[in-house]
Amino acid sequence: MDCIFCQIVAGEVPSDIVYQDEEVVAFRDINPVAPTHLLIIPKRHIPSLAHLSETELPIIGHMVKVANQLAREGGVAESGYRLVINCGEQGGQLVPHLHMHLLGGRRLSGGLG
Ligand code: AMP
């Protein structure tokens, strides 16, 4: 198992976990680009959005639900936040395990890349 996020799920690599349930884990990004920068990932190894099967689609809804909850708990729900899923090389995905960024706590740029 050479996937860093699978190693975090397994507890083999230390991380600052803020939430977990049967399906997902959320932890602080090691290199935050905003005061709130969390990653929400499925426990199951899914390489990217492009690899999601039809039956796996509900995990995205669950990740959004957890992100919304964490945004409320983190105090950024009112001020606003951004959820980002990068997919593939040109989509800016560096870690090949599906993950959603929750960014907030400052005014984010309006650019889309
Ligand atoms: P992406 O470019 O969408 O693949 O984002 C990957 C994110 O994972 C980056 O923001 C990294 O800072 C973050 N990251 C990589 N390794 C770790 C780690 N061990 N713990 C927490 N965050 C990590």
Side-chain angles (χ1 to χ4, degrees), residues 59-72 83 100:
I59 193 70
I60 297 296
H62 187 57
M63 289 163 71
V64 171
K65 180 180 170 187
V66 169
N68 285 343
Q69 177 185 322
L70 292 172
R72 284 193 297 275
L83 303 181
M100 177 181 286

Side-chain angles (χ1 to χ4, degrees), residues 4-5 8 27-31 37 39 86 92-95 99 101:
I4 183 76
F5 286 178
I8 286 175
F27 50 94
R28 294 190 195 285
D29 196 292
I30 205 169
N31 186 22
H37 188 172
L39 298 173
N86 296 323
Q93 184 180 5
L94 296 175
V95 177
H99 53 280
H101 297 257

Side-chain angles (χ1 to χ4, degrees), residues 1-9 13 95-96:
M1 188 169 64
D2 59 3
C3 169
I4 183 76
F5 286 178
C6 284
Q7 290 170 345
I8 286 175
V9 170
V13 165
V95 177

Side-chain angles (χ1 to χ4, degrees), residues 7-108:
Q7 290 170 345
I8 286 175
V9 170
E12 294 166 6
V13 165
S15 64
D16 191 351
I17 291 176
V18 295
Y19 174 88
Q20 64 177 314
D21 61 27
E22 282 184 9
E23 300 290 331
V24 303
V25 179
F27 50 94
R28 294 190 195 285
D29 196 292
I30 205 169
N31 186 22
V33 299
T36 296
H37 188 172
L38 301 176
L39 298 173
I40 299 100
I41 72 169
K43 285 186 169 175
R44 167 205 281 262
H45 183 81
I46 301 169
S48 79
L49 270 184
H51 296 80
L52 264 181
S53 68
E54 187 106 15
T55 54
E56 288 169 328
L57 280 176
I59 193 70
I60 297 296
H62 187 57
M63 289 163 71
V64 171
K65 180 180 170 187
V66 169
N68 285 343
Q69 177 185 322
L70 292 172
R72 284 193 297 275
E73 290 172 5
V76 299
E78 291 277 312
S79 50
Y81 55 99
R82 181 174 294 169
L83 303 181
V84 177
I85 301 179
N86 296 323
C87 179
E89 189 187 340
Q90 293 202 349
Q93 184 180 5
L94 296 175
V95 177
H97 181 128
L98 178 64
H99 53 280
M100 177 181 286
H101 297 257
L102 165 59
L103 300 165
R106 70 169 170 83
R107 182 170 295 279
L108 300 164

